[in-house]
Structures are given as C-alpha cells and as structure tokens.
Amino acid sequence: MKQPFLPLLLLLLLAAPGRAHAQGKYLTKAGVVTFFSATPIEDIEARNQQVAAVLDLGTSQLAFSLPVTGFVFKRTLMQEHFNENYMESEKFPKATFTGRFTGADAATLAAAGPHAVQVEGSLTMHGVTQRIQVPASLELKNGQLLAAATFTVATADYHIEIPLLVRDKIAKTVSVRVNLACNPAPGAVGATTPPAAR
C-alpha cells in the first residue's frame, strides 16, 4: 500500500540539517500501533501494521503517521463501525504524532538494554491535535532502534462521539501501544548497518 504521508515525515526529519552523531536517523514503514478498550459488552482490540516513523537521535526528534483504515479488528462489523461512526476515516484518513524525547542521548543508548525516556509532542487524530507527554523506552539492538510506549487516550479529547445507545457500555478511554523497529536511514551520518545486511 502506498503511504503518501511518508515523504512528509522524511522532509521533517531527514531533510533537516542534523548534527553529526554516532547513531544517526532511523526509520520504518512497518511500525505497529495497537489499541485496547475493555467494555462490559465486549473488549475492543485492533492492530495497525502500517505505521511510518522517523527518529533522529541527534536532535531527539520523532514523528510517526498511520492510516486510520489500517486498523484491523477481529470482527469486520467492529472495523466498519470504527471507521464510519467513530473515526470518520474518509474525512480524517490519518493520525500523526510529532515531538521529541528526553532522558537518553546517543551515549546512553550505546549501553545495552532498554532506556526509559519521556516523549512529548502533538498527537493529531480525528482532526484534533492535543499535546501529550508519555513514558517510553528506546533501545539500540542488532543495528535497529527499538521504540515502545503505552499510554491512554480519552475519546472525548479528540471529539470522538460515542452513540447514545451504547454510551454507557463503551469505555471512554483507550489504551494505546506503539512498537517501532527502525533501521538506519539511508545516508544517515554514522548509521550502523544491521548485522543481517552485512
């Protein structure tokens, strides 16, 4: 599937002049975002594996974008309701995040294991942008930059309306998990080549 939002991310981070640094810039076109909502009627869970992301260790910037219709549910009817009634995917086809992380520099990330960071920035979905700050982890492993975060989103904050008929039976908050396995960007300063590609 063509991802027209990837060039925007690349312009944002890759085309910007960056300081020379050991690890460079990392990207993926196959990141994963899942969400889960516990409800009295039925738990709602979906997975999106079409997440494009760019992380720059030199500037501590990161951005990701995903097509809302990329979320896959266990039941087709849930998927239809999600896109048509809740997210209005034709009108608001993508969700994006742009921001930065603090708490780990290139030297810290050179040490083995995941490192706790704080991520702060703007999350846009359903046509609404909110500032968020969430804990996350970063780890350099086998030539990839692994990033993970779990946070809660309140549907009301993004003007996602729940029909009155089911309002008392559907959770007002959703747990979101982001998992990114990013490879060094082509031409990134000092980017290391993953062992498998050598």
Side-chain angles (χ1 to χ4, degrees), residues 31-37 44-49 51 64 66 71 114 123 132 134-139 146-153 174-180:
V32 178
V33 169
T34 59
F35 73 79
F36 177 81
S37 175
I44 300 170
E45 188 170 8
R47 181 181 183 89
N48 190 323
Q49 296 176 275
V51 183
F64 69 80
L66 59 88
F71 281 102
L123 177 63
I132 64 169
V134 299
S137 71
L138 292 177
E139 179 181 10
L146 308 178
T150 301
F151 55 97
T152 302
V153 170
V174 177
S175 176
V176 178
R177 180 159 182 80
V178 179
N179 284 294
L180 307 172

Side-chain angles (χ1 to χ4, degrees), residues 18 42 49 57 66 80 96 105 110 155 173-174 179 183 190 197:
E42 183 175 10
Q49 296 176 275
L57 297 184
L66 59 88
E80 288 175 8
T96 62
D105 55 18
T155 55
T173 59
V174 177
N179 284 294
N183 293 310

Side-chain angles (χ1 to χ4, degrees), residues 11-163:
L11 284 176
L12 175 68
L13 294 176
L14 294 178
R19 300 176 306 206
H21 48 86
Q23 280 74 23
K25 298 168 185 174
Y26 291 78
L27 60 85
T28 183
K29 291 190 266 183
V32 178
V33 169
T34 59
F35 73 79
F36 177 81
S37 175
T39 74
I41 298 177
E42 183 175 10
D43 291 342
I44 300 170
E45 188 170 8
R47 181 181 183 89
N48 190 323
Q49 296 176 275
Q50 301 175 31
V51 183
V54 181
L55 291 91
D56 185 336
L57 297 184
T59 62
S60 300
Q61 290 180 297
L62 66 119
F64 69 80
S65 181
L66 59 88
V68 175
T69 55
F71 281 102
V72 177
F73 293 72
K74 289 180 182 177
R75 291 177 41 214
T76 305
L77 187 59
M78 272 188 183
Q79 196 161 321
E80 288 175 8
H81 286 167
F82 172 80
N83 285 299
E84 294 172 12
N85 303 331
Y86 298 101
M87 295 300 289
E88 299 177 276
S89 301
E90 284 190 17
K91 187 176 180 181
F92 308 108
K94 63 183 175 181
T96 62
F97 175 84
T98 58
R100 56 192 313 109
F101 59 88
T102 59
D105 55 18
T108 302
L109 290 172
H115 303 280
V117 297
Q118 284 291 318
V119 174
E120 181 177 328
S122 299
L123 177 63
T124 301
M125 65 177 168
H126 198 240
V128 178
T129 300
Q130 297 283 356
R131 295 289 293 177
I132 64 169
Q133 183 173 358
V134 299
S137 71
L138 292 177
E139 179 181 10
L140 282 171
K141 187 174 183 181
N142 298 327
Q144 288 187 313
L145 177 61
L146 308 178
T150 301
F151 55 97
T152 302
V153 170
T155 55
D157 288 347
Y158 295 89
H159 304 167
I160 299 168
E161 294 185 19
I162 299 172

